[in-house]
Amino acid sequence: MKHVFSALIILFVSSFSTAQTNNNSPLTIDQIMQGEDFVGYLPTNISWSDDSKDIYFSWNPNNDTIRSNYKVNINTQKIEALSFEDEKQRSNAGALSKDGKWSVYEKGGDLFLLNMSNFSKRQITNTINRESNPMFSGDQKHIVYQQDNNLFQWTIADGSITQLTNFKSGNERPESKRNAQDQWLYDDQLAHFDILQERKNESDASSYRREQRQFNRPEAVYIGDKSLFDIDLSPNLDYAIYRLYSPANDKNTIVPDYVTDSGYTTDLNARAKVGGPQYTTEAWVLNLKTGETHQLKTETIEGIKNKPAFLKDYAETTEDYNPEYENPRPVYVDSPMFSQDGKAVVNITSQDYKDRWIMLIDLSNGNLKLIDHQHDDAWIGGPEIGWFANGVIEWIDNTTIWFKSEKTGYAHLYTANVNSGKIKALTEGNFEIQQVTLSKDKKTFYIISNKESAHQTHFYHLPVKGGKMVQITSQKGGHEVSISPDERKLAVRYSYTNKPWELYVMDNKAGAKMTQLTESTTDAFKSYNWTEAEIINFTARDGAQVPATLYKPSPDKNNGAAVIFVHGAGYLQNVHNWWSSYYREYMFHNILTDNGYTVLAIDFRASKGYGRDWRTAIYRHMGGKDLNDQIDGAKYLVEEHGVSPDKLGIYGGSYGGFITLMAMFKYPDTFKSGAALRSVTDWAHYNHGYTANILNTPVEDPKAYQQSSPIYFADGLKGNLLMLHGMIDTNVHFQDVVRLSQRLIELKKENWELAVFPLEGHGFVESSSWSDEYRRIFKLFQETLRE
């Protein structure tokens, strides 16, 4: 059946939305697309009370209008909602004093001091202005905080407040100086008129006395037309490191919002496109004793002038190619980390994302000493290393820091002596250290890792000096862990493939029992026997073992057709043993299998959790190996599971929508139909922070964009294509699918459709939109793959 489309319309779908479930309980697309209203509101935002007796979490067991905050006592297991007064009195996570007896935190723009012995609180400020980022001074006598882009000191003993910095916009007015002619006239006047001389003497005396009567104030530091966005203070209060920001002054995209409460179309200000001017940052050291400032000297750090390797492809001759730029590459400087004795280290990343430097700062002059240099011809990334997260650094003692690196191809934990420069690897192997927390006594690392399996996460202990990782959690699945303030207990958010997240508690030791505290799923959800899909590996054309989740229909229902699901974000993991963030899609796949389809969901090249080489396999060619994995997955289904080669469909959203388009355009004889949701159609129109890592910029690397963007391959479309897009999408703009639609019109393609959703952005919100979207997808597969 052909679907003819030549204008932007919303199609009507009414059938094929009900599946016969595998335990004779009816299950519909409208049901599963209700999201939390159908599954249940699972516990989120887990934290502990100060006394380690209660666990706080967000929940909605009664299906109220919105979620509320709850607490559960770990001894009685009694759960109760927090009152508004409870909310006010509840402490936030704060900074601990060196002796661990006090904590200071910010809440509602005010500061509070918490006694960690009896958990009594003292409010320090109660102002209209916002106070933030409190910390204890090194001698524990003061609390330093930020207000209105300046640092202040509150003395614990007497409650006095002292301003430590005085940053001002604009430039200092230069002292007015007379030229030679005016100075001669001035001196001559004073020499001939006694009254003028007397008045000058009086004025000078008054100025002197006024100056002598003034209290000491911090010297003004002028920041010109730049913006101050971060200040950090050394524990001894001698130095402040501040960072300045200059906006990119780039052209943003306009996203019209047509359905508004005012009745008028509203233009939403959205991001700029990849390759435009980027914001710049610089970091300075301020000596609080002398008022002197020194900029961090990044222009001489190792490799700062190196050109990225891809530029060789554009050199006319090898002989003429210069591997270095004339000027240093721009960099991003992160917040510094101070040791207790006042040393500072900082993470610096090149603006082209290919280098990361960990540097020791000489606070007297802004000079930098290299501790570790990480380079990648593709881009620096990995958990707590770069890309989606800043590189994490923390002091263990006054000479040693810990950090993570993908030096071996996987994210692992390292320590470095900042004096000797000696670096030590604490973990190794073909797995990732995903999250690291240092214990309060700084003797143990608390770690989340996929060491046991790429498809599970567990909590581990590791001695700071190195040694064996001791596994604490044991159940198969995914574990998200929050450690109690006394570090004796763990609040665990645990789930399995077909069992949504629930809250548990356990002792912080190996072999401890994990006790369930919440029951969140609805009766409607529990009435269906959700499949425990199989995790398999198939062999790609280059020999790689590609992980995937396989959903198989019962033999009596198998219709010989199959659907491949492509997850979004690129760098995301969807093949695992815990409850998926794509839970609607998981439930939809259950409906598909109940209707006889085989479903394969692939963690293709670029997916998260499999190390550096898997992540960067798409460098300069999105729609290369990541697309090949879908084609090889289709071949696997045909050869190993008896799927008919002319009954293959594919679908996905965002990055998954992009891959769907590429599959339908570049491999039109593999997939008979595809549904592309909120798809990137041309990477030159996506954002800079994501795209420039993978494809560089359109001006510098046009080959990468031409081979990676679906719009260049639209002529290859043969099968049945359904595109779906929210009209107020400020991530992947609606303009993307409009431009592709025009291209398909000009190519005279007939078998495509577009459904638009006027009140939806990138992540759909309304259940009616989800239902409409997936009814269309189901109808597409029913009409095209069952023929």
Side-chain angles (χ1 to χ4, degrees):
M1 174 182 178
K2 287 189 176 181
H3 303 277
V4 181
F5 184 80
S6 60
L8 299 180
I9 60 172
I10 300 177
L11 306 176
F12 174 75
V13 181
S14 60
S15 59
F16 306 113
S17 62
T18 303
Q20 185 67 34
T21 69
N22 50 11
N23 63 350
N24 298 318
S25 177
L27 183 68
T28 69
I29 288 177
D30 284 344
Q31 272 185 305
I32 66 174
M33 293 304 156
Q34 292 175 33
E36 291 181 313
D37 284 342
F38 173 69
V39 175
Y41 286 79
L42 312 181
T44 62
N45 301 332
I46 313 300
S47 64
W48 283 88
S49 62
D50 301 316
D51 59 9
S52 300
K53 294 180 179 179
D54 297 309
I55 301 172
Y56 297 117
F57 59 100
S58 172
W59 209 31
N60 188 8
N62 301 318
N63 202 19
D64 201 355
T65 306
I66 60 174
R67 283 175 169 266
S68 298
N69 289 320
Y70 285 74
K71 70 177 179 180
V72 56
N73 184 277
I74 62 173
N75 295 317
T76 66
Q77 299 183 25
K78 179 183 178 183
I79 299 176
E80 55 185 335
L82 297 184
S83 67
F84 292 136
E85 188 59 33
D86 289 336
E87 296 274 19
K88 288 181 182 179
Q89 295 302 318
R90 178 182 166 191
S91 304
N92 288 344
L96 277 176
S97 60
K98 192 188 306 183
D99 57 15
K101 294 180 179 180
W102 299 89
S103 174
V104 60
Y105 64 93
E106 175 267 329
K107 187 168 186 177
D110 290 318
L111 304 182
F112 296 81
L113 185 63
L114 174 66
N115 186 318
M116 297 302 291
S117 299
N118 58 21
F119 307 106
S120 60
K121 300 179 181 69
R122 176 183 177 186
Q123 186 163 359
I124 299 173
T125 64
N126 186 356
T127 67
I128 300 299
N129 293 331
R130 183 177 183 83
E131 292 85 32
S132 62
N133 303 322
M135 57 170 275
F136 287 91
S137 61
D139 60 10
Q140 310 294 286
K141 295 180 179 179
H142 312 282
I143 289 172
V144 178
Y145 61 92
Q146 188 172 332
Q147 182 192 85
D148 293 333
N149 286 335
N150 274 299
L151 293 176
F152 293 80
Q153 168 188 294
W154 181 78
T155 301
I156 297 174
D158 59 16
S160 61
I161 295 175
T162 304
Q163 184 167 340
L164 300 178
T165 64
N166 184 18
F167 292 103
K168 291 187 174 182
S169 298
N171 299 298
E172 184 177 6
R173 290 183 180 181
E175 185 178 347
S176 178
K177 291 187 177 181
R178 302 179 183 88
N179 59 32
Q181 169 69 13
D182 290 344
Q183 187 64 47
W184 185 92
L185 289 172
Y186 177 78
D187 294 339
D188 188 62
Q189 289 292 93
L190 294 181
H192 287 87
F193 299 100
D194 293 341
I195 292 177
L196 292 180
Q197 182 64 59
E198 289 175 6
R199 289 179 178 177
K200 179 183 181 302
N201 293 341
E202 291 172 357
S203 177
D204 290 346
S206 295
S207 296
Y208 173 78
R209 294 182 182 183
R210 186 167 55 251
E211 291 173 1
Q212 297 307 305
R213 288 194 296 264
Q214 284 184 347
F215 294 102
N216 289 332
R217 295 286 190 263
E219 188 172 337
V221 177
Y222 291 90
I223 61 175
D225 58 356
K226 300 178 175 66
S227 297
L228 182 76
F229 72 102
D230 187 53
I231 321 172
D232 294 276
L233 192 64
S234 64
N236 58 13
L237 309 187
D238 286 344
Y239 295 96
I241 296 178
Y242 60 98
R243 296 188 293 157
L244 302 179
Y245 165 95
S246 296
N249 199 23
D250 197 6
K251 183 178 182 180
N252 287 351
T253 303
I254 299 298
V255 175
D257 183 359
Y258 292 99
V259 183
T260 64
D261 52 12
S262 70
Y264 291 91
T265 299
T266 301
D267 288 337
L268 306 178
N269 228 344
R271 56 161 177 80
K273 300 181 189 293
V274 58
Q278 298 302 299
Y279 72 88
T280 59
T281 63
E282 55 192 61
W284 293 74
V285 180
L286 168 64
N287 187 318
L288 294 174
K289 304 300 183 186
T290 67
E292 291 181 312
T293 59
H294 300 280
Q295 187 172 1
L296 295 197
K297 300 175 175 62
T298 62
E299 67 274 6
T300 59
I301 59 180
E302 175 185 289
I304 193 64
K305 291 186 178 181
N306 291 352
K307 288 182 179 178
F310 79 88
L311 289 177
K312 292 180 183 177
D313 290 357
Y314 297 94
E316 293 185 7
T317 65
T318 305
E319 292 77 15
D320 293 337
Y321 179 74
N322 186 344
E324 289 192 347
Y325 290 111
E326 182 177 346
N327 297 314
R329 285 177 288 162
V331 298
Y332 299 118
V333 181
D334 292 343
S335 296
M337 296 297 295
F338 284 99
S339 63
Q340 286 296 323
D341 65 354
K343 289 192 288 289
V345 292
V346 67
N347 185 75
I348 299 174
T349 309
S350 61
Q351 216 175 69
D352 63 9
Y353 312 108
K354 301 186 187 302
D355 289 272
R356 176 197 181 194
W357 298 271
I358 298 174
M359 313 290 289
L360 181 68
I361 304 172
D362 186 334
L363 296 171
S364 67
N365 54 26
N367 289 339
L368 298 168
K369 173 188 172 184
L370 181 65
I371 297 173
D372 184 66
H373 178 199
Q374 301 171 27
H375 171 79
D376 198 311
D377 282 346
W379 74 96
I380 295 290
E384 297 185 326
I385 295 172
W387 201 19
F388 284 112
N390 290 334
V392 178
I393 310 169
E394 189 176 1
W395 289 91
I396 297 173
D397 53 43
N398 287 329
T399 60
T400 311
I401 61 170
W402 72 261
F403 63 94
K404 288 163 67 177
S405 170
E406 284 187 319
K407 180 180 179 180
T408 65
Y410 291 84
H412 280 294
L413 182 59
Y414 296 81
T415 59
N417 185 298
V418 300
N419 295 327
S420 68
K422 183 179 179 181
I423 294 176
K424 178 183 178 182
L426 298 184
T427 60
E428 61 180 353
N430 295 343
F431 61 90
E432 289 187 334
I433 301 296
Q434 297 179 339
Q435 296 175 32
V436 179
T437 303
L438 189 59
S439 64
K440 291 179 179 178
D441 62 11
K442 299 194 174 183
K443 294 181 179 180
T444 305
F445 287 115
Y446 298 132
I447 291 172
I448 294 289
S449 174
N450 59 2
K451 182 177 185 293
E452 181 176 338
S453 164
H455 312 301
Q456 297 183 50
T457 59
H458 283 287
F459 184 72
Y460 296 83
H461 289 183
L462 175 69
V464 164
K465 299 295 184 181
K468 181 182 178 182
M469 287 175 60
V470 178
Q471 185 174 321
I472 306 303
T473 54
S474 58
Q475 292 194 39
K476 187 177 181 180
H479 300 80
E480 298 175 358
V481 177
S482 299
I483 307 164
S484 65
D486 62 12
E487 299 186 344
R488 296 177 181 176
K489 298 285 186 178
L490 304 177
V492 183
R493 211 171 78 109
Y494 166 78
S495 71
Y496 186 60
T497 305
N498 57 357
K499 296 178 181 178
W501 299 99
E502 296 289 1
L503 179 60
Y504 296 73
V505 67
M506 64 181 291
D507 291 335
N508 189 10
K509 61 182 181 181
K513 179 185 177 182
M514 201 164 70
T515 302
Q516 185 170 343
L517 299 176
T518 60
E519 178 67 42
S520 307
T521 50
T522 66
D523 290 340
F525 175 85
K526 287 183 284 192
S527 69
Y528 180 82
N529 185 23
W530 300 99
T531 186
E532 183 178 343
E534 178 186 3
I535 294 179
I536 58 94
N537 288 280
F538 63 85
T539 303
R541 65 192 66 185
D542 61 357
Q545 292 298 301
V546 181
T549 303
L550 179 66
Y551 301 76
K552 294 187 292 187
S554 59
D556 60 310
K557 292 183 179 179
N558 194 323
N559 61 18
V563 172
I564 289 179
F565 170 66
V566 191
H567 70 68
Y571 188 61
L572 179 146
Q573 185 176 4
N574 191 45
V575 177
H576 47 64
N577 290 122
W578 59 86
W579 184 247
S580 179
S581 59
Y582 284 98
Y583 68 95
R584 286 183 178 87
E585 288 77 3
Y586 165 79
M587 294 188 291
F588 179 60
H589 298 160
N590 278 258
I591 286 182
L592 287 176
T593 56
D594 284 342
N595 280 268
Y597 295 89
T598 302
V599 180
L600 191 68
I602 302 171
D603 267 356
F604 48 88
R605 245 64 72 91
S607 296
K608 184 178 180 180
Y610 305 97
R612 181 263 175 200
D613 291 344
W614 203 263
R615 172 176 60 80
T616 61
I618 59 169
Y619 178 56
R620 301 187 69 201
H621 193 183
M622 300 157 90
K625 290 185 178 180
D626 49 354
L627 176 58
N628 291 343
D629 288 344
Q630 317 302 323
I631 308 307
D632 294 340
K635 180 182 177 183
Y636 161 79
L637 290 172
V638 172
E639 294 180 351
E640 300 296 329
H641 293 278
V643 170
S644 174
D646 60 353
K647 291 186 176 183
L648 283 163
I650 187 170
Y651 89 101
S654 194
Y655 197 97
F658 148 72
I659 287 290
T660 298
L661 292 175
M662 291 292 268
M664 296 297 292
F665 295 164
K666 293 189 69 177
Y667 292 89
D669 296 323
T670 298
F671 295 104
K672 191 172 183 181
S673 57
L677 296 64
R678 43 197 171 274
S679 317
V680 175
T681 68
D682 185 346
W683 287 108
H685 289 255
Y686 197 52
N687 70 35
H688 188 90
Y690 180 89
T691 317
N693 283 275
I694 306 171
L695 300 180
N696 304 307
T697 65
V699 172
E700 288 184 308
D701 201 359
K703 294 177 184 177
Y705 284 81
Q706 289 164 3
Q707 68 183 357
S708 300
S709 297
I711 200 166
Y712 294 107
F713 302 98
D715 191 40
L717 177 64
K718 292 182 182 178
N720 307 279
L721 174 62
L722 170 64
M723 298 183 295
L724 311 102
H725 214 112
M727 294 181 72
I728 53 174
D729 191 336
T730 56
N731 182 6
V732 179
H733 299 158
F734 184 61
Q735 181 191 27
D736 266 47
V737 75
V738 172
R739 291 177 68 247
L740 180 58
S741 297
Q742 180 60 30
R743 180 69 181 140
L744 293 171
I745 291 169
E746 293 179 9
L747 290 169
K748 297 181 172 59
K749 298 294 179 180
E750 296 182 347
N751 49 338
W752 61 279
E753 297 174 346
L754 172 63
V756 300
F757 299 84
L759 280 174
E760 296 292 355
H762 194 63
F764 279 20
V765 176
E766 304 299 332
S767 61
S768 57
S769 301
W770 281 103
S771 295
D772 184 275
E773 182 177 48
Y774 274 82
R775 285 199 305 269
R776 296 175 192 279
I777 296 170
F778 189 71
K779 181 173 186 282
L780 171 72
F781 294 147
Q782 288 284 80
E783 292 184 346
T784 61
L785 301 183
R786 295 169 64 94
E787 295 174 348

